[in-house]
């Protein structure tokens, strides 16, 4: 419900005064709060207090300050005038309507101001006009009610005129110039004649005229032009036609494009070649005495080529040539000097049969994935059986929002994705090469090697179709929206925008950005933290001051490492919003918790602890931590992994082997094995633990 207080400033209906109204008032809502900002207000003029006929209407974008406003009605005098025909229908009433709300009631009567009442008797018409039905001066009628002049007749008298030009008062009434006078005027100065001016009936030519004379009107024509032949210039095609019509005997020394023309020497026989004689600078016929290559010449030519592409099926001494892609038949390997359990060994110079430390190769007790991927222990070496033929270079940045799928950048910079494909987040992955990838709930985005953004998968919030253009250096994707930094450090966000998380980005420049479900935070170039989007748990309004080196965001909490190495957290305390003591080298985010690696290598976690994922911390020294919804895994400096918490999310992790990287989703973990193969464990309802 809207409340209205009105203040009026009315005007006279005289046409000498602008036909506009200034209307002022104050509007409060049903709770008594005053309106502010700009709102559309519709002003309606009726001829009745409650019903009647709409006489005039206008909608004005009106500025409110503490509920107060002022509007000028009838400003559009050309298209929507508030004229005297409307204002003269007294009484009239004004009705207000705010935006799409119902019209306000009651209507307010429009009254004239005191000076408008006084204007009924016209005292001065300066700057205005009056519509009088009868005009009289000192009681004598001048104009009657029909607009006719009825006053005394006006008689002009030459002596009553003032400011008469002297050339009229000299008594000369001859205004016709003589021919001599005209010639004098014209020859005295240049004149600009009209373009249609003629001379003796002919149009006058100027410097800008285009002449189209008749041939016979041209005088002193050369005699050679009167023979009727007006084609004295040969075209290029005509010259070529003349030359090609018959043989041309060119003079000695003729050239083509600056080079001497070589003619066929006389006395040449079949099979001979041209020979050049330097002594007399001429060509002659001769025999080719070197037309066959020797074996040595062929070998020298082949060996001089950096790489020779042979046709498929090329042989050496009748046997097919093997390549890197060839499949070896084990029966063709010479095993005459081998004994049982021997393997091929290489000592740095020779390949042969023998044993290795540990008694050869044995099958590891770890089943890596399905389809089966096994590790063979061969002394200090580990051999992956049925492993990927392409090594992974890095895993996509994922988090607890990611549901049942992973992506990795391979060693050739191409993408591989697997797992949940309900919205094309696997099958629609783009081709090309990439430098980084970040996973959302059921969509993903990547920075290709040109710095452009490419997104695919779920598009419920335009998080795929509304990807910004340009080149970017860093990318972070949350549940249904993402943000990226361009080369200047400006942040650009897109996707879900229910809390302004995609439209209210700050104007600062940033060195990194982190994205959650409905808010985002960035570490600006001064080391300060700025957040935008949802302010649940005061995440946006309670950002700590100071300088920081790392920032991580969870579901409803944020933690950061300050310049002294301490951790500062804010937001929901039960989701990790309470900071631990100590100094830290790195942080990891979870949906309901955070973990950090202390400067001495110990792991510390805080937040939700439903399955011991916070309290059952391992001893030892670690370099990185990855968190699911209810379990945690850590990797030490040697690449070994240990997990704890909810077994369904962490059990089955490799007890042996070394890794270079681990990443978690809501309920599973993936790592890059030292062999380059991606190994995953945890819940696999969508196949996310079975990478290709």
């Amino acid at each position: 419900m809207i409340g209205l207080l009105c203040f009026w400033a009315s005007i006279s209906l005289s046409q000498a005064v602008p036909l506009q109204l200034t209307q002022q008032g104050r509007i409060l809502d049903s709770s008594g709060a005053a309106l502010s900002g700009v709102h559309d207000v519709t002003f309606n003029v009726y001829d009745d207090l409650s019903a009647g006929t709409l006489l005039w209407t206008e909608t004005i974008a009106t500025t409110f300050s503490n509920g107060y406003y002022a509007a000028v009605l009838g400003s559009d005098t050309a298209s929507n005038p508030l004229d005297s025909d409307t204002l003269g229908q007294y009484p009239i009433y004004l009705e207000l309507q705010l935006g799409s709300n119902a019209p306000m009631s009651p209507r307010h009567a429009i009254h004239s101001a005191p000076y408008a009442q006084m204007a009924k008797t016209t005292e001065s018409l300066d700057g205005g006009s009056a519509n009088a039905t009868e005009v009289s001066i000192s009681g004598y009628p001048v104009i009657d009610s029909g607009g006719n002049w009825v006053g005394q007749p006006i008689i002009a008298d030459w002596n009553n005129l003032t400011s008469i030009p002297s050339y009229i008062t000299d008594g000369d009434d001859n205004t016709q110039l003589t021919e001599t006078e005209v010639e004098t005027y014209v020859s005295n100065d240049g004149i600009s004649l009209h373009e249609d001016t003629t001379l003796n009936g002919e149009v006058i030519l100027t410097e800008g005229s285009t002449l189209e004379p008749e041939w016979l009107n041209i005088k002193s024509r050369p005699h050679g032009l009167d023979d009727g032949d007006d084609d004295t210039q040969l075209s290029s095609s005509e010259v070529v036609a003349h030359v090609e019509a018959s043989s041309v005997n060119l003079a000695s020394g003729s050239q083509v494009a600056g080079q001497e023309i070589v003619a066929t020497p006389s006395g040449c026989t079949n099979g001979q070649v041209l020979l050049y004689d330097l002594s007399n600078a001429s060509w002659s016929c001769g025999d080719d005495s070197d037309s066959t290559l020797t074996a040595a010449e062929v070998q020298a030519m082949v060996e001089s080529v950096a790489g020779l592409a042979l046709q498929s099926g090329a042989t050496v001494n009748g046997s097919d040539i093997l390549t890197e892609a060839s499949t070896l038949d084990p029966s063709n390997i010479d095993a005459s000097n081998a004994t049982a359990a021997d393997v091929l060994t290489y000592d740095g110079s020779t390949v042969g049969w023998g044993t290795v430390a540990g008694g050869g190769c044995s099958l590891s007790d770890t089943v890596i994935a399905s389809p089966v991927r096994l590790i063979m222990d061969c002394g200090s070496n580990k051999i992956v059986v049925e492993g990927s033929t392409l090594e992974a270079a890095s895993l996509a940045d994922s988090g607890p929002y990611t549901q049942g799928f992973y992506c990795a950048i391979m060693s050739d910079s191409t993408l591989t994705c697997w797992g949940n494909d309900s919205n094309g987040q696997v099958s629609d992955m783009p081709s090309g090469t990439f430098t980084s990838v970040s996973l959302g709930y059921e969509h993903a985005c990547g920075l290709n090697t040109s710095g452009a953004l490419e997104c695919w998968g779920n598009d419920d919030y335009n998080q795929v179709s509304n990807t910004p253009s340009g080149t970017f250096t860093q990318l972070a994707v949350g549940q249904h929206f993402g943000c990226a930094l361009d080369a200047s450090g400006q942040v650009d966000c897109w996707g879900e925008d229910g809390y302004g998380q995609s439209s209210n980005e700050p104007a600062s420049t940033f060195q990194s950005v982190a994205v959650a479900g409905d808010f985002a935070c960035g570490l600006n170039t001064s080391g300060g933290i700025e957040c935008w989007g949802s302010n649940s748990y005061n995440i946006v309004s309670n950002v700590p001051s100071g300088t920081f080196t790392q920032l991580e965001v969870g579901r409803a909490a944020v933690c950061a490492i300050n310049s002294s190495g301490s951790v500062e957290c804010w937001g929901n305390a039960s989701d990790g919003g309470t900071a631990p003591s100590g100094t830290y080298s790195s942080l990891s985010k979870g949906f309901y918790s955070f973990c950090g690696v202390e400067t001495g290598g110990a792991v510390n976690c805080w937040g939700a602890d439903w399955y011991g994922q916070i309290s059952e911390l391992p001893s030892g020294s670690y370099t990185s931590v990855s968190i699911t919804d209810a379990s945690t895994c850590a990797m030490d400096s040697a690449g070994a992994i240990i997990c704890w918490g909810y077994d369904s999310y962490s059990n089955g992790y490799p007890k042996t082997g070394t890794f270079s990287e681990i990443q978690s989703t809501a309920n599973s973990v993936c790592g890059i094995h030292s062999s380059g193969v991606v190994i995953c464990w945890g819940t696999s309802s969508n196949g996310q633990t079975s990478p290709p």
Side-chain angles (χ1 to χ4, degrees):
M1 180 177 179
I2 303 298
L4 170 65
L5 300 175
C6 292
F7 309 93
W8 286 94
S10 300
I11 64 167
S12 168
L13 301 183
S14 171
Q15 293 183 3
V17 181
L19 295 178
Q20 298 173 346
L21 292 179
T22 299
Q23 204 273 332
Q24 301 173 338
R26 190 184 191 202
I27 296 181
L28 310 176
D29 62 20
S30 58
S31 63
L35 291 184
S36 62
V38 178
H39 300 272
D40 285 340
V41 179
T42 300
F43 298 87
N44 299 318
V45 176
Y46 285 88
D47 60 1
D48 189 80
L49 181 61
S50 59
T53 301
L54 178 64
L55 304 178
W56 180 88
T57 182
E58 183 176 31
T59 300
I60 302 175
T62 307
T63 300
F64 289 81
S65 177
N66 193 26
Y68 292 100
Y69 69 94
V72 178
L73 312 186
S75 297
D76 187 1
T77 57
S79 301
N80 190 28
L82 186 56
D83 53 25
S84 58
D85 291 340
T86 300
L87 296 176
Q89 299 184 46
Y90 187 83
I92 53 176
Y93 303 88
L94 181 69
E95 175 187 85
L96 272 65
Q97 182 177 358
L98 180 65
S100 60
N101 294 312
M104 301 180 190
S105 62
R107 297 171 182 168
H108 293 267
I110 299 177
H111 300 292
S112 59
Y115 281 103
Q117 291 290 344
M118 293 170 59
K120 291 180 179 179
T121 301
T122 303
E123 296 181 357
S124 174
L125 296 179
D126 291 344
S129 61
N131 183 13
T133 58
E134 189 172 287
V135 177
S136 62
I137 298 176
S138 299
Y140 294 99
V142 178
I143 299 174
D144 62 16
S145 60
N148 302 310
W149 179 267
V150 296
Q152 295 297 319
I154 298 175
I155 301 174
D157 188 337
W158 180 264
N159 295 324
N160 293 334
L161 299 178
T162 61
S163 302
I164 304 172
S166 59
Y167 60 84
I168 295 178
T169 59
D170 62 359
D172 180 11
D173 59 356
N174 183 9
T175 58
Q176 181 70 35
L177 295 177
T178 67
E179 180 179 352
T180 302
E181 288 174 324
V182 172
E183 290 178 355
T184 301
Y185 286 141
V186 171
S187 60
N188 184 58
D189 200 359
I191 61 174
S192 179
L193 301 177
H194 190 273
E195 62 180 354
D196 295 329
T197 303
T198 61
L199 181 62
N200 196 27
E202 300 291 337
V203 176
I204 299 175
L205 299 180
T206 69
E207 292 180 350
S209 301
T210 300
L211 296 178
E212 294 182 358
E214 288 290 337
W215 179 256
L216 297 178
N217 292 336
I218 299 177
K219 299 179 180 180
S220 302
R221 299 188 301 275
H223 296 295
L225 298 181
D226 277 341
D227 60 358
D229 180 9
D230 59 354
D231 184 10
T232 59
Q233 181 69 36
L234 292 177
S235 67
S236 175
S237 60
E238 287 174 325
V239 173
V240 172
H242 287 319
V243 173
E244 292 179 344
S246 60
S247 61
V248 179
N249 187 9
L250 301 177
S252 177
S254 296
Q255 297 179 333
V256 174
Q259 300 295 321
E260 297 289 340
I261 300 174
V262 177
T264 304
S266 61
C268 290
T269 61
N270 187 34
Q272 287 187 313
V273 296
L274 284 176
L275 302 176
Y276 188 72
D277 188 347
L278 290 175
S279 61
N280 56 22
S282 64
W283 291 90
S284 63
C285 298
D287 296 324
D288 183 6
S289 60
D290 186 12
S291 58
T292 304
L293 294 176
T294 65
E297 288 174 325
V298 173
Q299 181 176 344
M301 292 176 65
V302 172
E303 291 177 347
S304 67
V305 179
L308 195 62
L310 301 178
Q311 286 282 1
S312 176
T315 62
V316 173
N317 198 27
S319 298
D320 290 336
I321 300 173
L322 298 181
T323 69
E324 292 178 350
S326 300
T327 301
L328 297 177
D329 185 351
S331 63
N332 290 334
I333 300 177
D334 183 6
S336 60
N337 295 324
T339 59
D342 275 357
V343 295
L344 287 173
T345 62
Y346 178 66
D347 61 7
S349 60
T350 305
V351 176
W353 292 102
T355 59
V356 295
C361 298
S362 61
L363 180 64
S364 170
D365 60 353
T366 301
V367 177
I368 303 301
S370 178
V372 177
R373 293 179 180 175
L374 309 177
I375 296 179
M376 298 292 292
D377 291 325
C378 299
S380 60
N381 299 317
K382 292 185 180 295
I383 301 174
V384 177
V385 180
E386 296 296 334
S388 172
T389 59
L390 186 63
E391 296 180 354
S394 64
L395 291 171
D397 176 30
S398 58
Y401 288 105
T402 307
Q403 291 296 307
F405 76 103
Y406 277 97
C407 292
I409 298 178
M410 311 312 288
S411 58
D412 62 353
S413 297
T414 60
L415 282 180
T416 294
C417 298
W418 64 94
N420 179 17
D421 193 33
S422 58
N423 286 277
Q425 58 267 50
V426 173
S427 58
D428 289 342
M429 65 179 181
S431 58
T433 55
F434 290 79
T435 58
S436 64
V437 179
S438 185
L439 308 184
Y441 181 72
E442 287 183 336
H443 81 288
C445 295
L447 282 180
N448 63 30
T449 48
S450 298
L453 280 169
E454 297 187 47
C455 297
W456 63 98
N458 187 292
D459 195 32
D460 287 348
Y461 298 91
N462 298 320
Q463 64 267 48
V464 171
S465 57
N466 199 30
T467 303
S469 58
T471 56
F472 299 88
T473 59
Q474 195 243 327
L475 165 71
V477 174
Q479 188 172 13
H480 299 302
F481 81 105
C483 297
L485 299 182
D486 62 20
S488 65
Q490 293 288 329
V491 62
D492 196 347
C493 301
W494 68 98
E496 186 177 11
D497 196 35
Y499 298 92
Q501 62 265 47
S502 293
S503 58
N504 289 337
E505 312 101 314
S508 306
T509 56
F510 292 86
Q511 53 183 304
S512 65
V513 63
V515 177
D518 50 18
F519 71 92
C521 295
L523 193 63
N524 62 35
T525 50
S526 299
I529 295 175
E530 299 180 49
C531 297
W532 60 96
S534 173
N535 194 34
S536 297
Y537 303 102
N538 297 319
I539 286 176
V540 174
S541 59
N542 198 31
V543 175
S545 59
T547 57
F548 297 82
T549 58
Q550 187 187 350
L551 165 70
E552 295 289 348
V553 298
R555 181 188 72 90
V558 184
C559 291
I561 300 177
N562 62 29
S563 56
S564 64
S566 299
V567 172
E568 297 186 42
C569 299
W570 65 100
N572 188 11
S574 61
D575 287 342
T578 302
S581 60
T583 58
Y584 291 80
S585 59
S586 66
L587 285 176
S588 296
K589 85 275 190 181
F591 199 64
Y592 303 103
S593 58
F594 291 85
C595 288
V597 177
E598 298 184 19
T599 52
V603 172
N604 190 14
C605 299
W606 57 97
D609 191 32
W610 305 320
Y611 297 95
Q613 67 266 38
I614 301 303
S615 56
E616 297 176 1
L617 300 174
S619 59
S621 179
Y622 298 89
T623 58
S624 64
V625 182
S626 190
I627 310 169
T628 71
D629 285 358
S631 67
T632 311
C633 294
M635 185 171 66
D636 63 20
S637 58
I641 294 174
I642 186 171
C643 298
W644 65 96
Y646 188 45
D647 282 346
S648 294
Y649 290 178
S650 63
N651 196 23
Y653 69 91
K655 307 300 190 297
T656 60
T658 57
F659 293 77
S660 61
E661 180 185 353
I662 53 175
Q663 284 282 355
S664 296
T665 65
N667 52 17
S668 59
V669 185
C670 285
I672 299 180
H673 186 263
S674 57
S675 64
V677 175
V678 176
I679 299 171
C680 302
W681 59 94
T683 298
S684 186
S685 57
N686 294 287
Q688 66 265 37
T689 58
S690 301

